[in-house]
Amino acid sequence: MAPRQKRGAFFVLKMKKFFLIVPLCLLVFLKVNAQDNVIHTPQGAIVKIVTSNPGDKIKLNDVVTFDVVQKTDKDSVLFSSYAMGHPVKIQVQASQSVGDLMDVLMLLTAKDSANVKVPADSIFKGHEDQRPAFLPKGSNLLFTVKIDRIQSLTDAIAEKNAALEAMKTAEITALNKYVANNKLVVKTTPSGLRYLITKPSLKRKPLTGDTLLVNYTGRTLDGKVFDSSIQADAQKAGLNQPGRNYEPLQVIVGTGGVIKGWDEGLLLLNEGSKAKFIIPSSLGYGADGSGPDIGPYSTLVFDLELVKIKPIKHPVAKKAPVKKHTPVKKKS
């Protein structure tokens, strides 16, 4: 993964490009078979409530955490939150397709479970060119849904904000601990970038817009290498980077083509110098992280070498004209 700014699971909840806009129907129009607890929704889904619990039903705008398994009617698993390692968490909105399960969710309450059959034809109506071969005409998608938790939107936002604040605090603690444990004597810029020149040079410094050739190895604070332009480092770390040419990365510095910590830090280096950058998430990948190795609010450590500068023609700043001092004659 370069330090740049910014058949899979067929989970129909995410397939918004296939959805047709359908008004939300009132639950009073649902057809219910009281004997076997089977419900036919207006859009054509057949819902079998397996476990029913007391409590308020899920409402529009609620945030629901639930586990779901999606299969074909040939029993092939297309998606499983259990295999993913964590449940799905979504905000309930007006249903746009039978396949988004929004009207199904609003039949359930916390800890309920249900089996759902969704006709594939209704999902791909008007979008037949998008129909995959494993969902032929007349086939069904089968869902097993288990509701874990229901939150109001306000409560869910408050919980998320509290979790993010805790992660921010944890990042600062981990960063300071890393510097102390490794006995690093670093300089800190006003933005929060910490850096250490490990090999100085007296050659020129780059200017914004120059193209730089940079060798680097990137690590997380726990020492995991997530990227490198150096073959020996990549092989030692067991990185799988098929087809990669191990050579210095070209960077047009100061133009936003790389993370902020790089843009700022590279302008501090001289051609031929080496440095260690300790880049907080505010200058890196922020609250989103990047890929499986860089989580939200992750401080990153880069060992870099500014191999070469390819300067562009920079405008020469005009000097202000020097005003001549004309002595004032004294009056006689």
Side-chain angles (χ1 to χ4, degrees), residues 98-226:
V98 63
D100 62 20
L101 300 187
M102 293 298 172
D103 54 350
V104 173
L105 291 176
M106 288 190 285
L107 300 173
L108 307 174
T109 190
K111 308 306 178 184
D112 280 0
S113 60
N115 296 327
V116 185
K117 180 186 289 187
V118 174
D121 292 351
S122 63
I123 297 173
F124 297 101
K125 185 178 180 180
H127 303 276
E128 287 297 327
D129 58 325
Q130 302 293 336
R131 182 193 289 268
F134 57 87
L135 288 176
K137 289 186 176 181
S139 64
N140 297 290
L141 284 169
L142 307 178
F143 297 84
T144 301
V145 177
K146 176 69 166 60
I147 306 299
D148 178 39
R149 191 179 181 203
I150 305 169
Q151 296 172 281
S152 70
L153 182 58
T154 300
D155 288 346
I157 291 173
E159 181 180 82
K160 181 179 179 180
N161 289 340
L164 292 178
E165 287 302 318
M167 293 174 73
K168 290 179 185 179
T169 301
E171 179 187 7
I172 296 170
T173 301
L175 192 161
N176 290 333
K177 184 177 179 181
Y178 175 86
V179 172
N181 287 350
N182 289 277
K183 299 179 180 179
L184 299 176
V185 180
V186 297
K187 294 181 179 180
T188 305
T189 69
S191 70
L193 171 68
R194 304 191 193 193
Y195 71 100
L196 169 65
I197 305 296
T198 56
K199 178 188 173 184
S201 170
L202 296 177
K203 294 183 180 179
R204 62 166 288 171
K205 285 186 175 181
L207 297 173
T208 297
D210 288 345
T211 296
L212 311 184
L213 301 183
V214 183
N215 263 328
Y216 68 94
T217 296
R219 296 177 174 85
T220 55
L221 286 182
D222 61 5
K224 180 177 176 59
V225 175
F226 58 84

